[in-house]
Amino acid sequence: MIQFTDRIAEQLNSGGEKTACVINEVHYSYAEFGANVAGIQNRIQRTGGEHIGIITQNTAGTYACLLAAWLTGKAYVPINAGYPEGRISSILADSGISDVFYSTDDNSIALLKKAFPSIQFHCTSELRGQRCFNIGAPANRTAYILFTSGTTGKPKGVPITFGNIQAFLDGFENMGYSVGPQDRFLQMFELTFDLSVVCFTVPLMFGGSFHTLPDGMIKTLALYHVLDEQKITFSLMVPSAIQLLMPYLDDIELPDLRYSQFCGEALKLDVVKKWAKCIPNARIDNVYGPTEATIYCSCLTINPRKAENLHHNGIMGIGKPMLKTQVLISGTGEHEESNLGELCLTGEQVTPGYILNEEQNGRSFFEHEGVRYYRTGDLVFQDENGQLFYVGRADDQVKIQGYRVELSEIEVATAKILPRNQAVAVGFQHADQGWQLALFVENLQTDGDELRTKLAKHLPDYMVPHQVLSVEEMPLNNNGKTDKKLLRQLAAKAAEE
Amino acid sequence: MDKSKIRTDLSTLFNKVFKCGEIEITDTLTAADVERWDSLSHLTMVSEVEKHFGIRFKLKELTGMKNTGELVQLIADKTG
């Protein structure tokens, strides 16, 4: 039974002058935000198609549009106008989108209109209505589609249904949080990143508010500014967001923060211990999950005084599965550590499967004893108490600021620019700046920065390698394969210089 | 410290961190004007500035800083 859209519609219609969101430091009441949602709903009803594209702008209108889509029973597909045109074209085609909504006219919108003349663009800033209504979408209908990095160079579309979201929210409510109208949620994520969904959905279900980072500020500093000035009570962040604040932790005290969740990347024990001192009244949770299993699906609550017992090699555990998730650890016994295996997920949070990609569906989903599982590619082990511990990846995927990056997607993009030069991308850990990307190219004749600029025309910003390095020949290991371990070491060394 | 000397030193530091060439440090220069100026490089730049001038910024000073002119003023205040 889908309840979350009913609860959001009720809050939007009855919230009155209470703050629904603070965007760019401007407060929007439930009444004005709800009127915008209602107006957009009227427009969406007049469009065809099950899916609508939404340009991700840091405006109240963008969020109003996401909610209007849901309440009208449609799926939204977030589109970052700064993405390369080829990527946007692929997203629009794969999702079957004919209508795109945006809230503020700017240069990027003008370029999109020119590039995609067959798409109907709708500006939502002036749309107002009397009252929000909820169509009541069935559980198996798609609520959003996100595109993640694909190994073949083409992004994979992950559809998440209304039922998947409801299962996530049932799990969330079972985690023991006491959330109410007094809560102020941080929303620091780009809307193409699924962690954003929990940050605006949950507060609106409870009559609370969500708060985005102001434009024009350095992101890390804006994060601290909002946490502090807007007295955030619930935050979900990627660990790398506070990694950069580490030198200034002595200056940080956030007594209003009640819940501090981390997701998207490995959370280090030493970071938890230091962060805990800044948030004396908060519960710290490390949550885990791939986009395919809806936002996150396991949780570890960390008592900083006992954190020593809940890590593996300095990386915090990922806890136990949430209410509507079950796990299987596949292939144990194949690795040096006998209990290590690939984490496979099942339950109501798991996506029906990638859109238009049967080949990938065949690789990523399988049946075991009549139950359908999703292979995460994450290597884990489970201790005697049922706690899961992340150890590494079974493949070449890396996480950059929480975004999944398939290294071969960078290599495919490089081959389009330099078809004759062999190129290998690696992810490496910078001493104090977290994970970074490096691209090694054989006999690179052009300037590395020039290649980076060209790659930015094919790849989103976070996938453009931080460094481009030339090698005479790719080094090989004893098995005759590219020696990626050596390349990672070379990249880390070059980054230090 | 004299502001013109601070600007000259900053130009060298900015080039080192942002790889932007020797640029003119104007008061209105911001992250939007320099391609590689993002969260990561900003905090690297701050750390380099702290080391070079032998000073230490408070986090609130950093969040309140609107442009390079304010950075120059802060350095001048701290170095006396």
Side-chain angles (χ1 to χ4, degrees), chain A residues 217-222 224-225 228-229 244-245 247-248 251-252 433 436 449 452-453 466, chain B residues 19 31 35-40 42-44 46-47 50 56-60 62-64:
Chain A
M217 269 182 95
I218 296 293
K219 193 169 178 185
T220 304
L221 299 176
Y224 166 67
H225 177 72
D228 182 47
E229 295 280 324
L244 293 173
L245 286 171
Y248 301 95
D251 291 356
I252 301 178
Q433 295 172 354
Q436 296 200 345
D449 272 348
R452 290 179 75 250
T453 307
H466 300 84
Chain B
K19 298 183 174 62
E35 199 190 332
R36 283 181 177 242
W37 194 337
D38 57 16
S39 269
L40 192 64
H42 180 83
L43 290 161
T44 308
V46 166
S47 162
E50 287 183 335
R56 170 101 181 132
F57 295 113
K58 285 193 164 41
L59 195 50
K60 291 221 169 172
L62 297 178
T63 55

Side-chain angles (χ1 to χ4, degrees), chain A residues 108-135:
Chain A
S108 65
I109 300 293
L111 291 173
L112 284 177
K113 285 179 178 172
K114 202 172 158 196
F116 302 102
S118 63
I119 298 284
Q120 182 82 31
F121 284 86
H122 308 261
C123 183
T124 61
S125 60
E126 304 296 324
L127 302 177
R128 296 290 181 276
Q130 289 293 318
R131 199 172 163 78
C132 301
F133 56 89
N134 182 21
I135 291 274

Side-chain angles (χ1 to χ4, degrees), chain A residues 416-492:
Chain A
K416 285 180 190 158
I417 301 162
L418 299 169
R420 289 165 203 278
N421 304 54
Q422 196 198 340
V424 176
V426 293
F428 66 98
Q429 196 144 20
H430 188 281
D432 45 27
Q433 295 172 354
W435 281 88
Q436 296 200 345
L437 297 168
L439 179 69
F440 288 85
V441 184
E442 276 187 356
N443 295 313
L444 179 66
Q445 302 293 329
T446 57
D447 179 54
D449 272 348
E450 197 182 316
L451 179 56
R452 290 179 75 250
T453 307
K454 286 182 180 168
L455 282 169
K457 292 188 177 136
H458 296 271
L459 299 168
D461 283 351
Y462 62 88
M463 286 179 73
V464 177
H466 300 84
Q467 300 182 60
V468 173
L469 300 160
S470 180
V471 286
E472 267 183 42
E473 268 181 26
M474 283 300 159
L476 301 179
N477 63 19
N478 293 338
N479 300 325
K481 292 181 176 172
T482 304
D483 192 343
K484 291 195 174 179
K485 192 175 169 190
L486 177 62
L487 292 180
R488 282 192 287 270
Q489 288 168 354
L490 291 173

Side-chain angles (χ1 to χ4, degrees), chain A residues 54 60 103 157 165 260 351 424 445:
Chain A
I54 298 178
S103 58
I165 299 176
S260 175
T351 174
V424 176
Q445 302 293 329

Side-chain angles (χ1 to χ4, degrees), chain A residues 33-96:
Chain A
F33 188 62
N36 196 197
V37 174
I40 300 169
Q41 281 195 275
N42 294 335
R43 175 66 66 88
I44 290 176
Q45 272 200 313
R46 297 205 297 270
T47 64
E50 293 289 303
H51 310 152
I52 61 164
I54 298 178
I55 304 297
T56 58
Q57 296 169 311
N58 187 23
T59 58
T62 300
Y63 290 91
C65 204
L66 305 177
L67 297 164
W70 281 353
L71 296 180
T72 319
K74 306 251 182 184
Y76 75 80
V77 181
I79 297 166
N80 180 327
Y83 277 178
E85 195 182 306
R87 199 175 188 87
I88 295 176
S89 173
S90 159
I91 290 172
L92 291 173
D94 283 3
S95 327

